Amino acid sequence: MDLDLRLVRYFTVVAEHLNFGRAAAALHLAQPSLSRQIQRLEHELGVRLFDRTPQGSRLTEAGRAFLPQAQALLRSARQAELTARAAAPRQTITVGYVADLVITPAVRELRRRHPDARVGTRHLDWQDTHALPEHRVDALVVRLPLPFRTDQLRVTVLHEEPRVLVVPRSHRLAGKESVTLDELADERFTACTSSPTLWSGPLEPSLDDSFEDKLELVADGRGLAILPAGDRRPTVRADLATVPVEGIDPCQVVLATRADDPNPLAIAFHDVAASCLA
């Protein structure tokens, strides 16, 4: 006879409460369903395990004899499960992200769904986004365009961000509800070689190689910048203002993974990111 461990567990819960109603509530089952499951176990064993009375239930002599064995059986099954999991290679994934993008909700949900996995994160500079094709991270949340070839990648758009113009507070466009590209035709834009090509208009090559240096150039009046509205870093400076830009394509935030990666966690993170980071 093959004992159904689920039925054995139901038996131990009823034996603990000695009341089918309270046991059913603890198991989140309907009481009639629980009664049928216990009857099924009794039928398989060929013995009666409980005597039902108006005051509740009590274990029969067979039930009292079976209880410690049932509890030991459940403990043994749980230990076998833990032993098997411990012997298996632990699944791991490292999720990279850049700039000010927040991946916490997706990472938290992935850890909830896969509690035995090792889920790590790594913040990357723009120059270091080659970590994905170089196998130093397994997934990458980043804004387009990517600074490397994507033909061997799986790229999924998570959401889009409109663009904003970043100007000094003293600039003539600061405080406007929005601007058009025509209004920017005569403006000078500063480039940052270590950031994605998010800027529009005539670019002035610059040796300043960090995002913070770029903001400093804008604040100093040496050029303007166009950024994704989701990038909040310019808003922490009191000397800068942002203005929505009309007539320009939004910026896409994407999840990129290696197309041939067999890691099941990379596949799982696609589903999680699509729901948590959309």
Side-chain angles (χ1 to χ4, degrees), residues 117-258:
R118 183 181 290 111
V119 181
T121 61
R122 179 176 295 175
H123 185 269
L124 302 171
D125 294 330
W126 179 250
Q127 302 99 315
D128 200 29
T129 49
H130 289 276
L132 178 61
E134 292 173 0
H135 291 246
R136 287 182 283 120
V137 299
D138 305 294
L140 178 63
V141 179
V142 64
R143 293 182 176 95
L144 293 182
L146 296 175
F148 46 78
R149 294 178 56 183
T150 62
D151 53 329
Q152 300 297 317
L153 301 179
R154 178 185 179 189
V155 180
T156 302
V157 177
L158 299 176
H159 64 268
E160 293 184 336
E161 298 174 339
R163 311 273 191 172
V164 295
L165 177 70
V166 184
V167 299
R169 283 283 178 187
S170 58
H171 195 273
R172 63 181 181 85
L173 297 176
K176 293 197 66 172
E177 291 187 4
S178 64
V179 295
T180 65
L181 291 179
D182 289 341
E183 294 177 88
L184 304 177
D186 297 328
E187 295 290 345
R188 174 179 294 178
F189 285 78
T190 182
C192 181
T193 59
S194 65
S195 297
T197 309
L198 297 174
W199 335 117
S200 175
L203 299 178
E204 177 184 273
S206 172
L207 296 178
D208 299 289
D209 212 27
S210 74
F211 185 87
E212 289 69 23
D213 287 328
K214 181 179 183 67
L215 295 184
E216 184 61 31
L217 289 174
V218 175
D220 193 37
R222 296 170 60 188
L224 308 183
I226 293 179
L227 293 174
D231 193 329
R232 302 299 181 185
R233 288 176 291 178
T235 64
V236 303
R237 294 191 55 150
D239 54 354
L240 295 177
T242 58
V243 184
V245 181
E246 298 178 359
I248 188 171
D249 291 336
C251 176
Q252 292 182 322
V253 176
V254 302
L255 168 65
T257 55
R258 294 180 294 275

Side-chain angles (χ1 to χ4, degrees), residues 253-276:
V253 176
V254 302
L255 168 65
T257 55
R258 294 180 294 275
D260 59 351
D261 192 345
N263 187 347
L265 287 179
I267 299 173
F269 190 70
H270 260 98
D271 296 335
V272 171
S275 61
C276 295

Side-chain angles (χ1 to χ4, degrees), residues 32-163:
S33 175
L34 177 60
S35 296
R36 288 193 297 271
Q37 300 302 325
I38 294 299
Q39 289 170 0
R40 177 183 163 192
L41 178 62
E42 290 177 325
H43 177 75
E44 290 183 0
L45 292 173
V47 297
R48 193 176 71 256
L49 298 172
F50 295 99
D51 285 327
R52 283 76 165 175
T53 70
Q55 291 75 33
S57 301
R58 62 172 179 263
L59 287 165
T60 64
E61 185 174 347
R64 288 193 296 273
F66 181 58
L67 180 59
Q69 300 299 323
Q71 293 169 331
L73 181 61
L74 293 176
R75 287 195 299 270
S76 179
R78 176 58 175 164
Q79 186 58 50
E81 176 187 0
L82 295 175
T83 300
R85 288 184 177 179
R90 189 174 183 184
Q91 291 183 325
T92 64
I93 185 174
T94 300
V95 181
Y97 62 104
V98 301
D100 65 331
L101 293 174
V102 177
I103 62 172
T104 307
V107 171
R108 183 188 299 122
E109 177 62 16
L110 185 67
R111 286 174 175 151
R112 187 190 69 81
R113 296 186 187 184
H114 301 272
D116 295 328
R118 183 181 290 111
V119 181
T121 61
R122 179 176 295 175
H123 185 269
L124 302 171
D125 294 330
W126 179 250
Q127 302 99 315
D128 200 29
T129 49
H130 289 276
L132 178 61
E134 292 173 0
H135 291 246
R136 287 182 283 120
V137 299
D138 305 294
L140 178 63
V141 179
V142 64
R143 293 182 176 95
L144 293 182
L146 296 175
F148 46 78
R149 294 178 56 183
T150 62
D151 53 329
Q152 300 297 317
L153 301 179
R154 178 185 179 189
V155 180
T156 302
V157 177
L158 299 176
H159 64 268
E160 293 184 336
E161 298 174 339
R163 311 273 191 172

